[in-house]
């Protein structure tokens, strides 16, 4: 009881502190920003900030839903998706009506639209808690989210464009008060019901949820006050919604981060970092406009330096992610590599374009940014899918030539886009200088925020709460996304536009140091982990091998004294299982030792002698009848650089052929010379007449723990690792092309030993 009272007191104090801080933030922003509301960019900036925060809340809720599927989270996600799209639409509307902004912002329709938006949002929030208490589960969550958001958008569209124009002036206040009452009742009830849920079943932070909903739910009051007595007090509603969404983001994201393993302090820093990247530039721009409205500052040197640094940073990011992927042999980061290369190419294009004299009078071109945004919005969902299923993309290694093609493709698309823009501006009167390009740029990048944050949360979940290199590298994409949103809001050379450029300067200043430090930390951690794993594997394998030998000896003695056929069969089965376990131990030890294999440890071996002895070993446990084995070459003819592990390649291949044989064991090894690019090779075709391998299974054939494998699934991964260690190649196909059921052929290619073959020192083919 005492612990419960102490926790309740702490929660109450926390709630009061949050409320006071929220009130102070709202009052401060309102007092400092009043003069800035004369400029339409301030309204666009606040609407964009509200959309930014709403979309982040929606992404955090989707991450929650991936952990625990509840319909309440689906409805909440629809509420914030509706909020995000509504604010994007409002920002675009202000962009296009910028000439009549003063009249638009003071109109009763605008005030009633704000109140209606809060009321519809409140209805969705209230519906979410009803679903939470009922415990029902949505059968089609995506359809439900889109339907609820669309219905809400149609509702506010009907109110703004059809209902309000039909009303008389005296009914404005009545409608505003009624919609505000709906907002207050629904959001207050939702907050109370959420806070009354048992602590063990709460999905979100109750204190943050209560304060965020309260601040957001009361934001209709300033709009109603301005509706009754026109003034700028309606702007307080924007600041209240901004603070309310900021607090709600903490309510959703903090529990998720803690649940996946992130520490409390790190979770607070991570949750606040991205929204502050958008919040601070908008607020600083608002305060700057309040102090000195319409300030324009042109500086070509700073602009060129900034974009030179941005191009270099993007290229460095792509190189580091590529190197990290090669190190870990994981290619699910390929979409991120493509993204950084795309932005590096775009920054280079902007640098080249900056040397055209007309640029400094006509203003910055937006086509490269729009092209980059479209490519980003295409590649980020791909990155999300590959992050969710790394195995799906592990075999999709990005070839080096693909990197060049990405750059060429980006340049071509940007060039074509510039030509289309020039043609349209020359053909359509009034299109030049319209806000179409900036509105599209702002909208696209606000939508990108959703995929960006969701991908970040997925990476944090997969790393169990650690801030890994993947998380930090992806975080640097925000230094491109946020500036593009700002460039979509503010005109060229203004304070807001320069805020976007400052972001790129920050990337130039801190990017290489942070990424380099994290890259080295990850490599050191991986090296320490590998050393510990090798030590433990060696100790475990050594002890198990000793136990196996003791059991094998006991089984051998037991078989000598058994006459009952059934009991003898059981003992022989146990002996076979021990043999398979011994093979597994050998494969595990081989995988650990391959990592440390060095080229100087290789020596010439006679591959024919090794092949023949490998078949002799695996055939000892098989009946002598019904076996056929053939090698096309004789000993002392074919030599490659390898070591004692080469026999494990053949042992694993032969065991597979025997294990999957139909009726009789039939193995042929054809060895042929090959010359390629001025270098000599030996090509080994190891064919059998087994049941074969279906084409669909070949893609993951050499992966560790291959699905559907009989046994441990490690054998062919050991083969692939050893072949790579000996600078070789391996592939698999049908013995009879097109008919996999008639047998399999493995093709191995090894560089031929170019020196004088020494004499054999043993019969196994080694020197």
């Amino acid at each position: 009881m005492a612990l419960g009272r102490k926790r309740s007191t702490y929660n109450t104090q926390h709630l009061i502190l949050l409320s006071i801080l929220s009130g102070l933030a709202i009052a401060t922003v309102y007092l400092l920003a009043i003069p800035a509301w004369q400029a339409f960019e301030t309204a666009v900036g606040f609407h964009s900030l509200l959309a930014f925060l709403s979309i982040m809340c929606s992404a955090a809720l989707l991450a929650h839903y991936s952990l625990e599927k509840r319909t309440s989270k689906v409805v909440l996600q629809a509420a914030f998706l509706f909020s995000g799209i509504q604010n994007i639409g409002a920002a675009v509307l202000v962009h296009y009506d910028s000439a009549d902004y003063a009249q638009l912002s003071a109109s009763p329709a605008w005030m009633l639209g704000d109140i209606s938006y809060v009321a519809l949002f409140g209805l969705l929030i209230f519906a979410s808690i009803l679903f939470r208490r009922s415990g029902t589960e949505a059968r089609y969550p995506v359809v439900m989210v889109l339907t609820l958001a669309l219905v809400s958008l149609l509702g506010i569209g009907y109110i703004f464009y059809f209902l309000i124009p039909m009303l008389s002036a005296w009914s404005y206040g009545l409608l505003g008060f009624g919609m505000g009452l709906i907002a207050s009742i629904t959001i207050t009830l939702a907050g109370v019901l959420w806070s009354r849920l048992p602590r063990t079943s709460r999905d979100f932070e109750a204190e943050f949820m209560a304060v965020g909903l309260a601040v957001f739910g009361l934001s209709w009051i300033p709009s109603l006050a301005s509706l009754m007595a026109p003034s700028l007090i309606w702007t307080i509603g924007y600041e209240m919604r901004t603070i309310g969404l900021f607090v709600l983001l903490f309510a959703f994201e903090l529990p998720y981060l803690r649940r996946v393993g992130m520490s409390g302090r790190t979770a607070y820093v991570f949750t606040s970092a991205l929204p502050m990247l958008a919040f601070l530039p908008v607020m600083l721009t608002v305060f700057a406009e309040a102090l000195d409205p319409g300030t324009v500052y042109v500086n070509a040197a700073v602009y060129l330096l900034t974009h030179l640094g941005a191009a270099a940073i993007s290229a460095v990011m792509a190189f580091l992610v590529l190197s990290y992927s090669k190190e870990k042999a994981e290619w699910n980061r390929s979409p991120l590599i493509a993204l950084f290369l795309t932005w590096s190419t775009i920054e280079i294009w902007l640098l080249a374009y900056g040397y055209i004299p007309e640029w400094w009078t006509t203003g910055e071109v937006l086509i490269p940014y729009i092209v980059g945004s479209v490519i980003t919005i295409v590649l980020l969902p791909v990155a999300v899918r590959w992050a969710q299923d790394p195995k799906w993309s592990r075999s999709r290694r990005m070839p080096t030539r693909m990197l060049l093609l990405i750059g060429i493709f980006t340049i071509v698309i940007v060039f074509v886009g510039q030509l289309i823009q020039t043609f349209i501006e020359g053909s359509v009167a009034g299109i030049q200088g319209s806000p179409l390009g900036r509105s599209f740029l702002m909208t696209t990048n606000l939508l990108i925020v959703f995929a960006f944050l969701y991908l970040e949360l997925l990476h944090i979940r997969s790393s169990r709460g650690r801030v890994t290199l993947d998380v930090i590298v992806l975080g640097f994409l925000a230094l491109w996304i946020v500036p593009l949103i700002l460039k979509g809001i503010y005109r060229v050379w203004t304070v807001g536009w320069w805020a976007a450029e400052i972001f790129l300067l920050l990337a130039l200043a801190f990017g290489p140091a942070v990424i380099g430090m994290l890259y080295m930390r990850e490599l050191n951690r991986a090296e320490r982990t590998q050393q510990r794993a090798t030590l433990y594997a060696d100790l475990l394998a050594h002890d198990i091998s000793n136990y196996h030998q003791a059991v094998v000896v006991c089984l051998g003695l037991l078989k000598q004294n058994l006459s009952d056929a059934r009991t003898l069969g059981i003992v022989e089965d146990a002996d076979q299982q021990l043999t398979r376990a011994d093979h597994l131990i050998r494969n595990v030890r081989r995988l650990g030792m391959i990592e440390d294999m060095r080229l100087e440890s290789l020596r010439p071996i006679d591959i024919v002698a090794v092949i023949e002895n490998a078949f002799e070993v695996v055939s000892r446990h098989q009946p002598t009848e019904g076996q056929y084995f053939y090698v096309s070459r004789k000993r002392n003819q074919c030599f490659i650089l390898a070591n004692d592990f080469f026999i494990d390649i053949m042992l694993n291949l032969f065991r597979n052929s025997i294990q999957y044989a139909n009726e009789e064991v039939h193995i042929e090894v054809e060895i042929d010379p090959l010359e390629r690019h001025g270098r000599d090779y030996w090509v080994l075709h190891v064919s059998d007449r087994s049941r074969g391998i279906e084409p669909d299974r070949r893609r993951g054939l050499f992966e560790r723990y291959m699905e559907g494998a009989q046994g441990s699934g490690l054998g062919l991964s050991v083969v692939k690792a050893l072949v790579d260690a000996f600078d070789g190649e391996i592939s698999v196909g049908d013995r009879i092309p097109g008919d996999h059921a008639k047998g399999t052929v493995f093709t191995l290619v090894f560089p031929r030993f170019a020196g004088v073959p020494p004499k054999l020192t043993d019969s196994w083919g080694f020197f």
Side-chain angles (χ1 to χ4, degrees), residues 310-343:
I313 287 294
S314 302
V316 169
M317 294 289 188
F319 174 76
L320 287 176
V321 177
L322 179 63
S323 302
Y324 190 63
S325 297
K326 287 182 177 179
E327 182 73 24
K328 297 180 73 70
E330 295 175 355
W331 295 98
N332 54 315
R333 302 173 184 83
S334 297
L336 291 180
I337 298 172
L339 269 179
F340 283 117
L341 285 174
T342 296
W343 282 110

Side-chain angles (χ1 to χ4, degrees), residues 543-558 578:
D543 290 344
I544 292 178
S545 295
N546 290 338
Y547 296 145
H548 276 181
Q549 292 302 318
V551 175
V552 168
V553 172
C554 292
L555 289 175
L557 294 173
L558 183 60
L578 282 173

Side-chain angles (χ1 to χ4, degrees), residues 15-26:
L15 195 64
I16 294 172
L17 179 61
L18 274 173
S19 303
I20 293 173
L21 290 176
S22 299
L24 289 174
I26 293 167

Side-chain angles (χ1 to χ4, degrees), residues 22 30 47 154 213 264 457 519 645-646:
S22 299
Y30 172 71
H47 277 296
L154 291 175
L213 287 177
L457 295 175
Y519 185 68
F645 291 164
F646 182 79

Side-chain angles (χ1 to χ4, degrees), residues 479-508:
L479 296 176
W480 275 263
I481 297 172
V482 174
L484 293 179
I485 295 173
L486 295 174
K487 285 177 180 287
I489 299 172
Y490 301 105
R491 290 167 291 185
V492 66
W493 308 124
T494 60
V495 175
W497 185 90
W498 274 112
E501 296 297 306
I502 291 171
F503 266 90
L504 296 180
L505 279 175
L506 289 175
L508 175 61

Side-chain angles (χ1 to χ4, degrees), residues 740-758:
H740 73 272
K742 294 297 180 62
T744 303
V745 57
F746 284 90
T747 302
L748 299 91
V749 182
F750 294 101
R752 190 188 305 186
F753 175 63
V756 178

